[in-house]
Structures are given as C-alpha cells and as structure tokens.
Amino acid sequence: MTIFIAMKYIEKLHYITHDIPHLTHIDQVQLACEAGAKWIQYRCLSKTDEELLTDIHAIAEICDDWGTTLIVTNHIHLNGKADIQGFHIEDMNADFIALRKLVGDDITLGGSANTIENLIRLANEGADYAGFGPFADTKTKPNNFSLLGIDGYSSAIRNLSDLKMPVLAVGGIKIYDIEALMQTGVYGIAVSGAINFADDFIQAYQDFYEAVKG
C-alpha cells in the first residue's frame, strides 16, 4: 500500500470558527489571532457565497496581518476568489484525488475521518491532514458518528504507525483532555466550542496552545 507523505507544514492547534450569537466569525478570528493563533479554520455553512466572501476577505486581511494560515471548511468552489490557503472537506466520501486536481498542489487539503479506513483513504488520496473524531459529545458539529474516546485514538494511531499524514483529534475536546490525547500519538488538536464559550477567549486559546505544544 502506498501511503502519501504530507510535505506541507500543518499547525498542531487548529482553531475553528462557528456560528455563535455573541461573536461574529470575524470577531472570533480577530481574538484568536490576538491570542497567537497560527491556523484558522473558517467554518460557516449558513451564508450565501456573497456573504461568505465578504467574511473571508475581512478574515484573510486579519490572518495576513498576523501571519496566520486561513483554511475554509467545504466551499471549495471559492478557491481563487479570496486569499485562502486551503480547505477542510467534511464529506467523508469526497474524492480527494479529484479535489487535488481541481485546486492544485499548493492548496492545503484536509479531510474529516471517523474510522481507520477513512484515515487510510485520505492518506492514499493525497490529503495533507485529517481531523479524526468526534472525541466526545459536541454541539458545534452535531453528527451520528461513534465517539472515539482516548481508546479510539490510541488504537488508530497504534495500528497506523506507518501513516505519515498528520492526524488531529477533534470534537468536544476540553483542556483537561489534551494531555491524554497527545499521549496517544495524535499530531494535534482542533477546537472550537471550548474556546468560543470560555469566559476569557484569549486566555482559553493560550491555555490550549500551551497544552498542545507542551
């Protein structure tokens, strides 16, 4: 089996924006960048293309000011219409070979996975990284997929020791989960709600960053 070796730099902590009442996506990105974020995933599935591009242009300016990578969830048809460095595709059946041909080699492509089989397919089809989850219950991205828990990550990473694609844990992760998750061998963490709904957004981001990098 040929395993794709990701060559692009992938940050270990991915911050994901979300539709929430008290902060716009632009506000979320501004706060995250002020906190030191180097990887933003803009996840908005509720707006028209025109509204999305209005957000993305403003967010791209913020990211450019802070030297932060901007990834857009889905919406790959917007490639080339804004300063977007990559896309995260949530459809676990997406054809990444076709997507790579569509966007070219320079664009970062990440995908979602819930099983070992998903991870292997993503690696073989040229994904640059995978978000593997959900770890625990989450209201950020409701789904019917099985919760992985610590044992799910340990088993997957142990059985895929030859997989060179970075795998990030995602879904309902709290600050106190990170030490055990990182010990499973995952590359990093993706987080949204635990930061977005914290009493102090910036401090929460920095706490996650230190825990993941530590």
Side-chain angles (χ1 to χ4, degrees), residues 68-79:
T68 301
T69 296
L70 172 58
I71 304 294
V72 171
T73 304
N74 302 332
H75 305 307
I76 201 163
H77 61 287
L78 299 180
N79 184 46

Side-chain angles (χ1 to χ4, degrees), residues 1-213:
M1 179 184 298
T2 300
I3 299 295
F4 176 80
I5 301 176
M7 300 301 292
K8 296 186 180 72
Y9 174 76
I10 307 297
E11 175 62 34
K12 288 183 177 292
L13 178 59
H14 292 197
Y15 167 70
I16 306 171
T17 72
H18 188 58
D19 287 335
I20 51 178
H22 63 290
L23 288 172
T24 68
H25 288 268
I26 296 171
D27 289 338
Q28 292 169 55
V29 171
Q30 181 65 46
L31 285 169
C33 286
E34 288 178 9
K38 293 303 178 186
W39 191 284
I40 300 287
Q41 185 184 143
Y42 171 70
R43 185 180 189 274
C44 182
L45 309 180
S46 62
K47 298 185 178 185
T48 65
D49 284 358
E50 183 178 354
E51 292 169 331
L52 288 169
L53 284 171
T54 296
D55 267 7
I56 292 170
H57 285 309
I59 288 169
E61 286 190 14
I62 297 169
C63 288
D64 185 58
D65 287 344
W66 291 88
T68 301
T69 296
L70 172 58
I71 304 294
V72 171
T73 304
N74 302 332
H75 305 307
I76 201 163
H77 61 287
L78 299 180
N79 184 46
K81 297 183 178 181
D83 187 11
I84 301 167
Q85 283 79 59
F87 295 88
H88 182 92
I89 307 302
E90 295 183 329
D91 179 1
M92 295 186 194
N93 296 311
D95 183 344
F96 271 71
I97 294 174
L99 293 176
R100 176 62 68 195
K101 290 179 180 177
L102 180 66
V103 301
D105 293 334
D106 292 338
I107 293 293
T108 297
L109 281 179
S112 294
N114 178 251
T115 66
I116 291 175
E117 291 74 21
N118 291 152
L119 290 173
I120 291 172
R121 188 180 69 81
L122 285 172
N124 286 335
E125 292 190 3
D128 294 306
Y129 72 90
F132 189 40
F135 165 70
D137 287 319
T138 174
K139 292 181 173 60
T140 301
K141 182 185 171 184
N143 57 60
N144 296 318
F145 296 113
S146 300
L147 303 181
L148 295 173
I150 294 297
D151 290 343
Y153 289 94
S154 296
S155 176
I157 300 302
R158 182 173 60 251
N159 287 289
L160 294 172
S161 58
D162 292 333
L163 191 73
K164 301 304 180 183
M165 177 184 66
V167 175
L168 292 94
V170 62
I173 297 169
K174 309 298 184 188
I175 189 69
Y176 50 75
D177 299 314
I178 292 179
E179 182 177 0
L181 276 168
M182 295 304 292
Q183 288 177 354
T184 68
V186 295
Y187 179 82
I189 303 290
V191 64
S192 182
I195 293 175
N196 286 335
F197 294 102
D199 292 336
D200 186 328
F201 184 113
I202 290 178
Q203 186 62 56
Y205 178 89
Q206 292 173 343
D207 288 344
F208 266 84
Y209 182 86
E210 289 177 8
V212 171
K213 294 286 189 174

